[in-house]
Amino acid sequence: MTRPYLIAHSARTAAVCLPLPGARYRLPQPLAYRLTAEQAMSSKAAGHADGAEELLQQEEGKVETAVLLLHGLNPSTRYRLEVDGCEAVFFETAACRGLVDASAFGLTADVALDDPAGAVANAVCLARAIKAVPEGGTLRLPAGIWTASPVALKSDITFHLAEGAVLRAPSSREGWPIMPARDADGRLLGSWEGLPAACYAAGIHAVGARNLTIEGQGIIDGSGSAGDWWSWPKETRDGARRPRGLHLVRCDNICLFGFTIRNAPSWTIHPHGCEGLTAVGLHILAPHDSPNTDGFNPESCRNVLIAGTHFSVGDDCIAIKAGKRGAEGEAEHLAETRGIAVRHCLMERGHGGVVIGSEMSGGVHDVMVEDCDMIGTDRGLRVKTRRGRGGAIGAIFMRRVLLDGVETAISVNAHYHCDADGHADWVQSRVPRTFDAGTPIISDITVDDVEIRDLAHAAGVFLGLPEAPLRNIAISRLRIVSHAEEAEATPPIMADHVRPMRHERILAEHAEVTCDDPTLMSSAPISLFPIREAV
């Protein structure tokens, strides 16, 4: 029998993985489950004040996804979960040391998006409510539409978005706080594409928080489509860059459960310098033409799990980053990213399913992507960098993944034409240059048991630097099931001098790639021609 396991839990929410054979985002078939509370607990433990005993809880239902989210649990209670064909799972919810209702602090519902005064007033009320939550307690935002200016969360609390609750940012920048590039002690706060920079504070943000949970069946709406945010994607206005949807800076032991977050002004969820972060069962959404609305971008983070999450966004679904070396070689702000696991997720559309870079100067290591569906994304697994970045990428694994309607399944590109000088000869030349601190190194990428359907451009494109070839790329059990007949020949990666491709196999240039099926390896060139120049 399959042995489910508890991914994480809080006082009122639990996430359980059902690792059945063939399960990716969804199970091979729906299964019945029964959840039973086996131990009663006092209402005091639940955060109530009437002293009555909570009733024992029983719930039955059907589960269709490999990660099951259980909401509305009682704190400090032992539960038994039974799923057809699986061993029983036992777990005990955490204690809640006080339940605070945000509506008791003067919040006003249905404030208009273009009412900055009303949004600021609601943010003040929420700040008072957050301050009132005791350590280990919960702040509950009830059902309703709540417009509020950016709100900072604190350590040792749970922020619970009730079903039907929508917390939305205003459309106006009037009174919107700006997060400086650094705090008073010189530590990084704001950033933009891997460099220190002032940015507008996210609608929900936390700096230096520990033991923080954000959970529930409600919605966080960044109102990116309501203001003018998406009309200046690469600009600075009033001294700041666009805000994220949820921004976590130097936070440890963070859990994100079940909520929907949508319409972020820029990146949707951006953990920066965090350690120990679990994100389970989220719905991360943005219109497909919205600029740079990446889904989840862990940057300079360690030990991050993203599981059972649905992405449909305007840019990369998951983009793993580690900062960018400055134009003059500045590197003091860099820190590595290590230990990222992506399991049982669904990535729809977007520019890439799981992407590493292009900001990777601090180094990215130990990334595992398994049991996922990538449907209609431009690329599946994507690594992108360029000369000048430096840093190293290694120990990247992808296995048991379906790529359906993905234009280029796997791409590794060391000539990515980002930044103002991205098309310069020294960046794009295929002639070896001097190996130095700005030379990125990419090695040890393993792809196993991957199915490709409706392939448009290429199964794999590996373009390395002549002075630093890609090393130890291993591909096994890769299956091309079908091709997209309507596909048009297009360069499959964003580098200069790359020829258009259609329905091609695995191509490598300045790269050591092995495959257990030699017929999948192509001897065709990637580049149209090398640029000749003095080294």
Side-chain angles (χ1 to χ4, degrees):
M1 296 179 73
T2 298
R3 177 175 293 178
Y5 61 90
L6 183 70
I7 298 174
H9 69 284
S10 67
R12 293 176 175 82
T13 307
V16 177
C17 184
L18 308 173
L20 277 76
R24 292 188 298 268
Y25 178 70
R26 293 183 175 87
L27 297 173
Q29 61 185 25
L31 297 175
Y33 75 88
R34 178 184 297 107
L35 177 70
T36 306
E38 294 200 326
Q39 172 187 320
M41 55 93 201
S42 70
S43 60
K44 182 178 181 181
H48 299 307
D50 56 13
E53 286 289 315
E54 289 285 333
L55 296 176
L56 288 176
Q57 187 178 25
Q58 185 163 319
E59 172 187 325
E60 295 184 354
K62 290 276 190 180
V63 56
E64 298 183 352
T65 55
V67 175
L68 172 60
L69 264 290
L70 300 167
H71 296 279
L73 306 181
N74 293 323
S76 300
T77 302
R78 179 176 170 81
Y79 284 91
R80 174 188 178 96
L81 175 66
E82 299 167 283
V83 180
D84 284 355
C86 300
E87 297 181 14
V89 178
F90 298 87
F91 63 91
E92 184 172 334
T93 52
C96 176
R97 295 183 173 87
L99 178 63
V100 174
D101 196 295
S103 62
F105 289 80
L107 283 178
T108 301
D110 301 318
V111 169
L113 285 170
D114 59 356
D115 180 0
V120 169
N122 270 348
V124 171
C125 294
L126 280 172
R128 289 171 49 225
I130 292 167
K131 185 176 180 180
V133 180
E135 184 176 315
T138 298
L139 175 64
R140 179 179 182 272
L141 184 69
I145 298 177
W146 311 100
T147 305
S149 295
V151 175
L153 299 178
K154 68 177 184 179
S155 297
D156 299 301
I157 67 167
T158 294
F159 181 44
H160 185 92
L161 295 147
E163 186 173 8
V166 179
L167 179 59
R168 64 185 188 179
S171 60
S172 171
R173 292 199 305 278
E174 184 178 336
W176 197 296
I178 291 176
M179 181 179 288
R182 300 181 184 276
D183 65 12
D185 297 321
R187 295 175 298 183
L188 191 68
L189 275 181
S191 64
W192 184 258
E193 295 186 346
L195 292 171
C199 58
Y200 288 97
I204 297 292
H205 59 277
V207 178
R210 298 177 59 86
N211 308 321
L212 171 65
T213 296
I214 305 173
E215 66 176 20
Q217 295 172 279
I219 297 171
I220 298 172
D221 194 320
S223 298
S225 59
D228 68 351
W229 300 115
W230 293 344
S231 68
W232 48 284
K234 297 289 187 179
E235 298 176 27
T236 298
R237 292 199 177 177
D238 297 326
R241 298 281 193 166
R242 293 182 295 153
R244 284 60 161 176
L246 170 62
H247 197 183
L248 304 167
V249 182
R250 298 195 310 276
C251 295
D252 297 338
N253 192 24
I254 306 297
C255 286
L256 310 176
F257 287 122
F259 58 86
T260 295
I261 181 166
R262 66 191 186 193
N263 296 326
S266 64
W267 295 350
T268 306
I269 299 179
H270 182 201
H272 196 163
C274 298
E275 182 160 0
L277 189 153
T278 300
V280 189
L282 306 181
H283 298 274
I284 300 177
L285 310 174
H288 305 305
D289 58 353
S290 54
N292 301 111
T293 51
D294 296 30
F296 198 109
N297 290 10
E299 182 171 9
S300 299
C301 293
R302 299 175 71 94
N303 302 323
V304 176
L305 170 64
I306 307 168
T309 290
H310 171 213
F311 297 84
S312 182
V313 294
D315 207 312
D316 296 326
C317 294
I318 298 173
I320 301 167
K321 300 177 180 293
K324 179 169 67 176
R325 191 177 301 271
E328 303 300 323
E330 302 93 331
E332 53 81 25
H333 61 285
L334 303 177
E336 74 168 2
T337 291
R338 183 179 292 273
I340 309 293
V342 181
R343 298 191 175 106
H344 298 293
C345 289
L346 169 60
M347 298 115 181
E348 293 185 298
R349 303 190 185 181
H351 292 178
V354 175
V355 177
I356 300 172
S358 65
E359 303 93 321
M360 45 63 68
S361 300
V364 177
H365 306 277
D366 300 333
V367 176
M368 172 65 77
V369 182
E370 55 187 354
D371 301 303
C372 290
D373 292 307
M374 302 180 188
I375 300 176
T377 58
D378 294 349
R379 297 162 187 85
L381 177 65
R382 181 186 189 190
V383 178
K384 53 183 182 178
T385 186
R386 49 154 286 183
R387 291 181 176 114
R389 291 288 161 93
I393 295 172
I396 312 300
F397 300 88
M398 182 171 79
R399 62 187 183 188
R400 299 189 302 273
V401 173
L402 170 65
L403 304 173
D404 190 349
V406 175
E407 294 178 352
T408 298
I410 306 158
S411 68
V412 180
N413 176 14
H415 290 272
Y416 183 58
H417 52 50
C418 55
D419 294 337
D421 61 348
H423 297 283
D425 288 350
W426 75 273
V427 176
Q428 295 298 329
S429 173
R430 308 303 196 259
V431 174
R433 297 187 65 87
T434 301
F435 187 99
D436 57 23
T439 305
I441 302 170
I442 303 172
S443 65
D444 301 296
I445 299 176
T446 301
V447 176
D448 177 58
D449 195 5
V450 169
E451 180 176 314
I452 302 172
R453 301 176 187 170
D454 284 344
L455 177 68
H457 300 145
V461 178
F462 298 87
L463 177 60
L465 297 172
E467 67 270 23
L470 312 180
R471 306 287 190 190
N472 194 23
I473 313 296
I475 301 173
S476 58
R477 296 192 293 169
L478 185 144
R479 303 173 300 284
I480 304 174
V481 175
S482 59
H483 296 85
E485 292 306 318
E486 72 282 5
E488 297 181 0
T490 303
I493 56 174
M494 296 177 69
D496 292 349
H497 317 296
V498 172
R499 66 181 179 84
M501 299 183 192
R502 180 179 183 269
H503 298 172
E504 304 219 22
R505 294 167 292 160
I506 299 169
L507 302 96
E509 181 178 309
H510 302 304
E512 297 176 357
V513 180
T514 61
C515 181
D516 66 343
D517 182 355
T519 66
L520 289 175
M521 295 298 300
S522 172
S523 59
I526 294 174
S527 299
L528 289 168
F529 54 86
I531 302 174
R532 296 296 174 186
E533 61 177 37
V535 178

